Amino acid sequence: MAMRQDASTGQLVDDGRAAPKTGGQLVDGKPVMHLKIYSPFRVYFDETAFSISAENATGPFDILPRHHKFLSLLNPCELRVVSPSGEKRIRISGGLMHVQSDKVKVFLDV
Amino acid sequence: MRRAQDIAAEEKSMRTILTLTGAFEGLSSMRIAQIKNQVLESRDFFADLWQMYSQLRVDQLFNYGREKEQKVINKDLFIGITAEGGFSGDIDQRLIDLMLKGYDPAKQDIIIIGHHGAVQLSQRGVAFIKYFRLPTVDKNINVTPLVQHIQEYKTTSVFYQSYTSLMVQDIKKVDLHSAVQAAGTLVNEGDDIITEINYIFEPSSYAVIAHLERIMLQISLSQMILESKLAQHASRYRAMSSAQQLALDTSSGLRLEYNRVRRAVGDQRLKEVTGGMKVVRSHQL
């Protein structure tokens, strides 16, 4: 059930509608995940994506939706993001990737 | 009695001080707004990073991001963050006073950030092992050289200036280990705990955790430096406001004195003229 905030009391109440699914979403029939790539003072990407490719100490790798929970240091490389709006490449000097239930966060400049 | 033109000259110099303090006050106010803006801009990023760190179950293992076999100096490291220049009121002096209260050269080493603090230590004959300039930038402050020193020591205490409000600034001493550890234990309810059982770590859990510890140290230090800069600008603003008020009061006092002296000179001349006239009249009669 979805919750909404009551304007008079400010409390969360059940609005009787089905809650939107946060995982397993499809776009063009393909599963997507939410991806955010950012540094302290700039957001490079904050949308749904089909995949992200990067490189760590063990080599190049891809992250797709429904990936296992994952925490990795990133090597200097070019991130390749495939999203419904197209492909995007971002060159990075290193970072940290955190994958957690169809949510991927890439922290840069750390 | 002072001469009117001397008083006028002094009042003019007081007006110059008034203009200068006004300019410094304006600059400080602008820098406070800029730094606050930086803090707001990066807030989400750092909050997410702290959140992730807090989910890691590493509190008991905190090791300042050192390598496994790294040897440490069996001393405490004191880091003092002070202003680069003067005009900051007494805030740096208070910080140095607090730092030297429990200082014992056999047990502690000092690293000082900011030229003003280095001068204050030298004046008191206290030696420090390293001096760093206070970073001029507010974004992406490079604290890596500082972290390297921290990792060489058993424990580290940071003395910094904290910003409460425009009129209130405080001096704080924090144990870096406790500060990072405390922030790392603030897990929100419902958050996943990150362990080796439910997560894949690459290249290894130890490498990721050591890297995260270094990052968290860097972030903590950067935030302390930024907060110190904010407090220094606020203290400068306060000092300049007081100086401006004092200059304004002095200027008003001088203006009054100037008018009084001019009137007294006028009265004296009038007295001389009337006295002269009386003498002339008495001779005519």
Side-chain angles (χ1 to χ4, degrees):
Chain A
M1 292 293 176
M3 307 295 275
R4 67 176 174 79
Q5 193 171 23
D6 188 276
S8 56
T9 63
Q11 288 182 331
L12 287 174
V13 292
D14 180 6
D15 71 353
R17 290 183 291 116
K21 284 181 183 172
T22 52
Q25 288 177 320
L26 300 175
V27 173
D28 298 336
K30 289 195 276 186
V32 288
M33 57 193 178
H34 185 262
L35 173 64
K36 190 169 183 179
I37 304 171
Y38 56 151
S39 66
F41 302 103
R42 189 172 166 190
V43 177
Y44 294 87
F45 190 91
D46 189 10
E47 292 172 37
T48 52
F50 296 123
S51 69
I52 175 169
S53 308
E55 204 178 308
N56 65 12
T58 54
F61 64 94
D62 301 313
I63 298 290
L64 300 171
R66 296 165 199 163
H67 192 282
H68 194 277
K69 289 173 181 176
F70 178 62
L71 197 54
S72 174
L73 301 178
L74 300 179
N75 282 0
C77 65
E78 192 175 61
L79 295 177
R80 182 173 162 265
V81 178
V82 182
S83 71
S85 56
E87 187 183 307
K88 190 171 182 178
R89 287 170 186 268
I90 303 161
R91 183 151 284 283
I92 62 164
S93 59
L96 188 75
M97 183 185 282
H98 183 205
V99 181
Q100 185 187 32
S101 56
D102 279 352
K103 281 184 201 160
V104 181
K105 283 179 181 168
V106 180
F107 299 94
L108 303 180
D109 297 341
V110 291
Chain B
M1 188 190 289
R2 293 171 72 195
R3 291 166 60 206
Q5 61 202 63
D6 291 342
I7 298 169
E10 198 178 331
E11 196 206 345
K12 195 181 169 190
S13 68
M14 207 49 70
R15 276 204 302 270
T16 310
I17 292 173
L18 210 60
T19 313
L20 280 173
T21 50
F24 277 123
E25 192 187 53
L27 279 173
S28 298
S29 173
M30 191 179 71
R31 293 288 290 129
I32 289 167
Q34 279 175 346
I35 294 174
K36 275 188 168 176
N37 200 28
Q38 302 291 330
V39 173
L40 286 178
E41 260 185 63
S42 57
R43 195 174 53 185
D44 286 351
F45 181 88
F46 290 132
D48 285 350
L49 211 51
W50 275 118
Q51 180 57 33
M52 186 183 67
Y53 182 70
S54 69
Q55 289 171 255
L56 274 165
R57 290 297 93 213
V58 294
D59 341 0
Q60 303 310 315
L61 305 172
F62 188 85
N63 196 29
Y64 289 90
R66 292 181 190 119
E67 299 300 324
K68 273 179 187 168
E69 302 303 322
Q70 191 173 337
K71 285 189 178 167
V72 293
I73 300 167
N74 196 24
K75 269 180 155 185
D76 299 329
L77 179 65
F78 279 2
I79 297 176
I81 305 171
T82 63
E84 199 51 36
F87 296 128
S88 301
D90 64 344
I91 198 163
D92 286 339
Q93 207 170 335
R94 280 163 52 204
L95 187 140
I96 299 292
D97 286 343
L98 178 69
M99 190 159 73
L100 296 183
K101 206 176 263 180
Y103 173 65
D104 177 354
K107 292 178 185 167
Q108 287 111 13
D109 281 340
I110 295 177
I111 287 181
I112 193 82
I113 302 173
H115 185 255
H116 197 221
V119 169
Q120 295 240 343
L121 283 176
S122 299
Q123 283 171 349
R124 296 173 196 214
V126 177
F128 43 89
I129 58 158
K130 193 93 182 170
Y131 152 69
F132 291 101
R133 285 177 67 91
L134 186 75
T136 50
V137 293
D138 301 329
K139 285 182 181 179
N140 304 321
I141 296 171
N142 180 18
V143 290
T144 313
L146 207 53
V147 171
Q148 283 167 356
H149 283 287
I150 289 168
Q151 287 172 339
E152 289 170 6
Y153 282 83
K154 193 179 73 177
T155 54
T156 300
S157 296
V158 183
F159 296 80
Y160 71 104
Q161 294 139 351
S162 82
Y163 174 88
T164 307
S165 69
L166 201 56
M167 288 297 143
V168 182
Q169 297 86 43
D170 206 3
I171 306 297
K172 279 190 180 167
K173 177 197 176 186
V174 292
D175 170 19
L176 207 52
H177 174 276
S178 311
V180 178
Q181 203 176 54
T185 52
L186 300 171
V187 185
N188 293 334
E189 232 174 90
D191 284 340
D192 279 348
I193 299 300
I194 302 174
T195 66
E196 282 177 307
I197 299 166
N198 60 353
Y199 263 77
I200 301 169
F201 288 88
E202 280 188 10
S204 69
S205 57
Y206 193 88
V208 172
I209 289 166
H211 185 80
L212 267 172
E213 283 178 354
R214 275 194 295 273
I215 290 171
M216 292 311 157
L217 272 179
Q218 287 175 0
I219 290 172
S220 299
L221 282 168
S222 304
Q223 286 177 334
M224 284 174 202
I225 290 173
L226 211 54
E227 190 170 351
S228 291
K229 287 177 84 172
L230 193 58
Q232 285 158 17
H233 285 299
S235 180
R236 187 168 300 149
Y237 176 88
R238 204 158 48 99
M240 288 303 128
S241 292
S242 305
Q244 198 181 25
Q245 191 55 50
L246 192 67
L248 193 67
D249 292 346
T250 313
S251 180
S252 306
L254 285 169
R255 171 53 55 178
L256 273 175
E257 193 183 350
Y258 173 77
N259 288 337
R260 212 166 22 234
V261 167
R262 279 197 64 186
R263 201 167 51 238
V265 169
D267 289 349
Q268 182 64 29
R269 280 188 189 151
L270 202 62
K271 225 183 273 176
E272 283 169 9
V273 169
T274 50
M277 280 172 70
K278 273 182 191 167
V279 172
V280 171
R281 275 186 195 153
S282 66
H283 282 296
Q284 282 173 348
L285 291 173

